[in-house]
Amino acid sequence: MTPILEICVDSLASARAAIAGGADRLELCTALSVGGLTPYAELLRQIRQESNIPIRCLMRPRCGDFLYTAEEISMMAGQMAELKAAGANGFVIGCLDVNGALDARAMRPLLQASQGYGLTLHRCIDVSRDILQTYRDAAALGFDTVLTSSGAASCMTGQEIIGQLLTLRDAISGPEVLIGAGVNADVIISLRQQFPSARAFHASCKSEIESSMVFRRQGVPMGLPGLDEWHIHQTSQAAVCRAREALLA
């Protein structure tokens, strides 16, 4: 199987940097500072004017848990139609039930909307009750990829589960294990040394760019406490290049 470096981006500038750095695929979203939300179709159109790189769109209507209402699911299904028309190649979805299991019934409209497109189970697996069972359920539902940190805050602290997922992938010819959360070039090198069969990684490769604003009113946050309005997080082309080199080394 060909190694995959997927870069998650939430702006045109980040998409350009990821593409120039050698990304194999983009995960497109908005609001990476809260883990990513559903992207704008117009942003996807802007990227498509410049590149035909494979793009999977994150379907997440809000931050918080993955227990969605019928209205939220209906909205996501409608947005998927818009994103397909704008040039999406696939989608990144996931719903859990109240007991932390993958909710196939709730996901049915999303699975129907994604037929014929690439399909990733997002990191809802990392807060599910049984990660290995969730992976098996995802395989049964037709997902081709599972994005996971192995149920830990970062992939480096969940290496035992990563190893188990990779073994399960090979045993059942299951979805690709896309390793994420804290991934950079050094992490890729370390994990591939420990797990030679690891071949798919997901990273943001973010850097912090100083705002060009000269006038800056302090003490007026626009969102969550601690967020700084005067620094912009953007994908670093150099960091993507390093991650790509590490993956192919």
Side-chain angles (χ1 to χ4, degrees):
M1 293 290 289
T2 303
I4 296 172
L5 176 62
E6 179 180 89
I7 303 296
C8 54
V9 301
D10 61 0
S11 70
L12 179 59
S14 286
R16 285 170 171 163
I19 293 165
D24 297 299
R25 185 170 72 204
L26 303 183
E27 183 198 86
L28 186 62
C29 62
T30 59
L32 268 175
S33 60
V34 294
L37 300 177
T38 302
Y40 307 112
E42 186 55 36
L43 174 57
L44 177 55
R45 291 188 190 98
Q46 288 180 333
I47 299 170
R48 276 287 170 251
Q49 288 175 359
E50 301 185 8
S51 175
N52 63 355
I53 188 173
I55 299 176
R56 295 194 178 188
C57 293
L58 174 65
M59 305 311 300
R60 188 179 178 218
R62 54 165 173 78
C63 58
D65 63 35
F66 301 102
L67 182 67
Y68 295 121
T69 66
E71 292 79 9
E72 288 171 328
I73 292 168
S74 177
M75 178 176 68
M76 285 189 280
Q79 290 169 320
M80 289 169 74
E82 295 179 3
L83 290 164
K84 285 191 286 188
N89 301 106
F91 297 95
V92 185
I93 68 171
C95 302
L96 299 178
D97 64 23
V98 295
N99 294 310
L102 202 59
D103 193 336
R105 181 193 60 79
M107 285 192 297
R108 189 173 299 126
L110 307 181
L111 294 170
Q112 291 174 345
S114 67
Q115 286 184 356
Y117 287 74
L119 193 58
T120 299
L121 179 68
H122 60 46
R123 290 188 60 206
C124 69
I125 188 175
D126 293 324
V127 292
S128 66
R129 179 181 294 274
D130 184 330
I131 290 174
L132 295 180
Q133 185 58 51
T134 300
Y135 178 89
R136 295 186 188 95
D137 293 341
L141 289 171
F143 285 86
D144 61 62
T145 303
V146 173
L147 170 60
T148 181
S149 67
S150 70
S154 74
C155 59
M156 289 299 286
T157 58
Q159 296 183 47
E160 180 180 353
I161 299 298
I162 285 176
Q164 293 177 20
L165 285 169
L166 291 169
T167 298
L168 181 57
R169 178 201 67 188
D170 294 342
I172 68 172
S173 297
E176 184 60 85
V177 177
L178 181 61
I179 300 169
V183 169
N184 57 32
D186 291 338
V187 167
I188 292 173
I189 291 170
S190 176
L191 288 178
R192 294 203 81 192
Q193 286 175 344
Q194 184 167 354
F195 305 111
S197 66
R199 60 196 179 210
F201 292 87
H202 170 99
S204 64
C205 294
K206 291 190 299 288
S207 61
E208 190 173 77
I209 298 174
E210 184 82 11
S211 169
S212 297
M213 288 291 295
V214 176
F215 174 76
R216 301 184 181 190
R217 186 181 299 280
Q218 302 300 321
V220 190
M222 297 294 168
L224 296 172
L227 288 181
D228 182 354
E229 308 304 329
W230 313 119
H231 294 84
I232 300 166
H233 291 102
Q234 188 172 300
T235 299
S236 163
Q237 179 180 336
V240 177
C241 283
R242 290 192 294 272
R244 180 70 181 166
E245 290 168 358
L247 183 59
L248 298 179

